[in-house]
Amino acid sequence: MKKRILITGGAGFLGSHLCKRLLEQGNEVICVDNFFTGNKQNIIELLDNPYFELIRHDVTFPLYVEVDEIYNLACPASPVHYQFDPVQTTKTSVIGAINMLGLAKRIKAKILQASTSEIYGDPEVHPQPENYKGAVSTIGPRACYDEGKRCAETLFFDYKRQHDVNIKVARIFNTYGPNMHPDDGRVISNFIVQALKGEDITIFGQGNQTRSFCYVDDLIDGLIKLMNKENFTGPVNLGNPYEFTMLQLAQKVIELTNSNSQLVFKELPQDDPKQRQPDITLAQKELNFNPTIQLEEGLIKTINYFKNRLKG
């Protein structure tokens, strides 16, 4: 049966992939985006689909539509973008969550919150399981995003307890792939763009800090499985548990792009996490979630996307 599905942040990196996948599965999709970081180019191929609808809208204002499911992805997710207007970032996470939860309550829709591994802060537990409470600075430059997402999780669980809203909470770890913004400041897009342009590759600190990178197709699988899983709320970690240092990543990108770029080391930004690796035991058990696309394969696809993007 065809479902009507609302995706906030639907023209963004993750949202555009989710729109496409849900349309392919035979659903009707309403994409909502204010285009602060979203890009119409990401969804241009979907605009002719009669079951796809685009609404330019900011989730900090109420929205009135009738749908069966809501994926709340609206929020800038890279430090460059969320620190550009930190007050608006917090408002998007908190007021946006209130507005979408209010909508879900009124129309009795299922609603999924795209939360983040950033709620764990600079973790003292490794890898990070869902029951770890995190080590987050409430007053640092990243707090607008970290604390906004933490508050959104609180709101989701309060709406479940107080109003019996059917919620889902996914804690998304580093994800990459086509439709990333070339200037979003995230490490994979930074390294690839610098390598393709033959520029110095910027590494912060000594390059020993680690991240675990999930290819976007695997992540979208996880989000849809979570939405469709009955009697399971989360929060649940979604990501690829294979861990790499920034130095290893830079060397791999140079190798795959056949670039002459040199490595340049700069001071580590404030509150930058030293380690980031998901414990996905819960996702494996409850959702049968097992990422299949490993780093080299995913990087090749992403490099090809950026080659075409930079040509344009």
Side-chain angles (χ1 to χ4, degrees), residues 40-301:
K40 200 171 276 189
Q41 199 62 41
N42 290 342
I43 52 165
I44 198 90
E45 64 184 89
L46 308 179
L47 293 175
D48 291 335
N49 188 319
Y51 295 108
F52 180 76
E53 184 179 345
L54 173 62
I55 301 174
R56 183 184 285 267
H57 181 82
D58 187 322
V59 294
T60 59
F61 298 93
L63 181 67
Y64 301 100
V65 291
E66 303 296 324
V67 293
D68 303 302
E69 295 175 355
I70 302 167
Y71 288 83
N72 186 37
L73 274 59
C75 189
S78 72
V80 168
H81 290 144
Y82 67 64
Q83 290 173 8
F84 174 77
D85 189 345
V87 172
Q88 184 63 26
T89 296
T90 306
K91 287 168 73 173
T92 300
S93 286
V94 177
I95 299 171
I98 290 169
N99 285 332
M100 289 304 115
L101 285 161
L103 176 63
K105 176 190 163 193
R106 181 178 68 80
I107 62 178
K108 295 182 168 50
K110 271 196 289 188
I111 180 166
L112 183 148
Q113 167 67 1
S115 191
T116 172
S117 61
E118 296 296 332
I119 66 123
Y120 298 122
D122 188 2
E124 294 147 348
V125 172
H126 193 74
Q128 293 82 58
E130 287 85 356
N131 61 4
Y132 174 54
K133 301 295 191 293
V136 182
S137 164
T138 59
I139 58 172
R142 300 170 71 98
C144 58
Y145 184 70
D146 305 352
E147 291 299 307
K149 289 288 191 178
R150 285 165 72 96
C151 185
E153 284 198 12
T154 301
L155 285 161
F156 266 70
F157 279 88
D158 283 339
Y159 266 78
K160 176 180 170 61
R161 282 185 287 260
Q162 191 172 337
H163 301 297
D164 199 30
V165 175
N166 188 351
I167 67 161
K168 312 280 180 179
V169 176
R171 290 177 178 166
I172 298 170
F173 280 68
N174 294 69
T175 307
Y176 69 102
N179 295 2
M180 292 184 87
H181 198 290
D183 302 320
D184 71 3
R186 294 190 231 197
V187 64
I188 284 192
S189 48
N190 268 7
F191 284 3
I192 290 174
V193 169
Q194 287 170 337
L196 289 174
K197 289 181 173 179
E199 297 171 354
D200 290 340
I201 289 184
T202 309
I203 294 183
F204 294 101
Q206 296 304 305
N208 299 325
Q209 67 272 41
T210 67
R211 295 292 183 270
S212 308
F213 299 104
C214 185
Y215 189 69
V216 62
D217 290 355
D218 285 331
L219 194 279
I220 297 302
D221 284 345
L223 291 177
I224 293 172
K225 283 179 173 179
L226 174 58
M227 181 64 95
N228 294 334
K229 172 79 181 201
E230 295 299 323
N231 303 314
F232 179 66
T233 296
V236 61
N237 291 336
L238 295 179
N240 191 319
Y242 286 97
E243 191 180 17
F244 299 88
T245 68
M246 297 301 94
L247 206 52
Q248 288 173 316
L249 176 66
Q251 289 161 345
K252 178 58 72 175
V253 167
I254 287 171
E255 176 195 326
L256 294 176
T257 54
N258 196 25
S259 175
N260 296 318
S261 293
Q262 302 298 308
L263 302 182
V264 171
F265 295 85
K266 295 192 174 178
E267 194 175 339
L268 205 60
Q270 184 182 338
D271 297 333
D272 193 55
K274 290 179 274 302
Q275 293 178 302
R276 182 74 85 224
Q277 182 190 21
D279 180 333
I280 62 166
T281 308
L282 183 63
Q284 289 169 323
K285 174 174 174 280
E286 293 289 345
L287 306 176
N288 192 26
F289 173 72
N290 284 291
T292 58
I293 298 171
Q294 297 311 324
L295 188 67
E296 183 159 329
E297 181 188 351
L299 282 177
I300 290 168
K301 293 180 180 191

